[in-house]
Amino acid sequence: FIRVVVEDTGIGVPPEGMRDLFRAGGQNRRFAGGTGLGLFSLAKRMEVLNGQCGMYPRADGKSGCCFWFTFPYVPDKDAWTNCDGSLTWKNSHRRIGSIRVADSISKDVSSDKSVGEVGSPLSGEAKARGRVLVVDDSSLILKTTSRMLRKEGFDVETAQNGEEALGLMELNSYYFVLSDIQMPVMDGLEMARRIRQVEADNTLDCTPQFIIGMSANSDVATRDESLACGMDVFVPKPVRFMELVKWMPPV
């Protein structure tokens, strides 16, 4: 087995809240930031690898926690044992549990045109489908979601909070806006309220902006709050293109 322990110096977590952090949306993003999916993703990966994960308070009494995970490790049969006890691999792979993975991957998937071409209903035939705006404070979410939409033929612009998004919407029109719910500076809920207020105050006959809200918290209360603030649709994270297709407005 391989065991990994990571110790942080964060705000800490009460014992009764530790188990909830490993479910989707269990993290309180208002204080911790991020997508709320990291520990949930770790738990699912450990489940696949027949491993375990968890957390406990720091032993030194300082604020923060220790996060750990462990999984079975089986050396490749093609490994040589050196005189100093280290291993040299006959090939560039190693085996972790029952999953075989590459020792190193040097190719940047963002430049690999073949990534995602299989199984997509529009791949290979995608044409320009309009400009969309993706709003999220996570650079990772912006990158992956933008890549997904560009692959399907969309012209994508991004913003890291609602205030930035409103500034872009003053300059451009968008087929739809895909926005996170919780963000610093201005969250998606307040952004939606302001968009609807501007539309209500506008004496010209204009098409309302179509807004899709997204969040790792997929409970009924979060969905209802986003719709009440003026969003047209709510989808849970991680966002999948086939889920967006169901709700996209007509061209």
Side-chain angles (χ1 to χ4, degrees):
F1 281 82
I2 290 180
R3 180 180 175 89
V4 178
V5 180
V6 178
E7 187 177 76
D8 74 8
T9 56
I11 60 176
V13 180
E16 61 272 16
M18 289 185 175
R19 179 170 298 184
D20 289 341
L21 291 183
F22 292 88
R23 62 176 178 81
Q27 181 187 114
N28 189 333
R29 293 190 59 215
R30 295 184 186 276
F31 295 99
T35 64
L37 294 173
L39 293 178
F40 171 71
S41 177
L42 172 64
K44 289 300 182 182
R45 281 173 169 78
M46 290 303 102
E47 183 179 333
V48 171
L49 293 172
N50 295 319
Q52 294 179 320
C53 62
M55 60 183 296
Y56 52 85
R58 289 176 54 128
D60 57 11
K62 296 181 180 179
S63 64
C65 296
C66 291
F67 300 84
W68 63 269
F69 61 90
T70 182
F71 53 87
Y73 175 78
V74 181
D76 196 294
K77 293 181 180 179
D78 292 334
W80 284 310
T81 301
N82 299 324
C83 295
D84 59 0
S86 62
L87 295 178
T88 299
W89 306 99
K90 292 182 181 179
N91 52 46
S92 62
H93 295 78
R94 64 185 184 278
R95 191 177 301 275
I96 297 177
S98 60
I99 298 179
R100 189 174 177 83
V101 298
D103 242 359
S104 62
I105 302 176
S106 59
K107 183 163 57 176
D108 182 0
V109 295
S110 64
S111 62
D112 186 355
K113 296 181 180 179
S114 67
V115 172
E117 290 185 354
V118 178
S120 172
L122 300 176
S123 297
E125 303 176 359
K127 299 179 180 180
R129 295 168 58 90
R131 180 187 298 151
V132 299
L133 177 61
V134 181
V135 191
D136 201 296
D137 60 316
S138 167
S139 58
L140 177 60
I141 296 295
L142 288 179
K143 181 178 180 180
T144 55
T145 305
S146 297
R147 182 187 302 162
M148 172 185 70
L149 292 170
R150 288 190 180 107
K151 184 192 68 177
E152 302 299 346
F154 290 98
D155 180 13
V156 183
E157 294 185 0
T158 62
Q160 292 189 310
N161 56 66
E163 187 176 273
E164 287 185 13
L166 291 177
L168 288 172
M169 280 184 271
E170 290 180 357
L171 303 173
N172 306 299
S173 59
Y174 297 97
Y175 176 42
F176 66 83
V177 175
L178 177 62
S179 175
D180 189 20
I181 300 298
Q182 294 181 342
M183 295 177 290
V185 183
M186 181 188 295
D187 61 25
L189 302 177
E190 179 61 24
M191 180 198 71
R193 292 189 194 98
R194 297 197 184 190
I195 292 173
R196 298 311 181 208
Q197 186 60 54
V198 169
E199 293 172 345
D201 295 340
N202 195 339
T203 57
L204 300 177
D205 184 17
C206 61
T207 302
Q209 176 64 65
F210 196 86
I211 309 172
I212 303 175
M214 59 179 175
S215 176
N217 296 323
S218 56
D219 54 75
V220 175
T222 301
R223 182 198 63 190
D224 290 348
E225 185 180 17
S226 65
L227 298 179
C229 290
M231 293 184 171
D232 296 280
V233 176
F234 173 81
V235 295
K237 287 182 178 180
V239 176
R240 295 175 174 82
F241 183 73
M242 291 308 298
E243 183 69 17
L244 291 180
V245 168
K246 295 191 301 183
W247 303 110
M248 286 181 184
V251 177

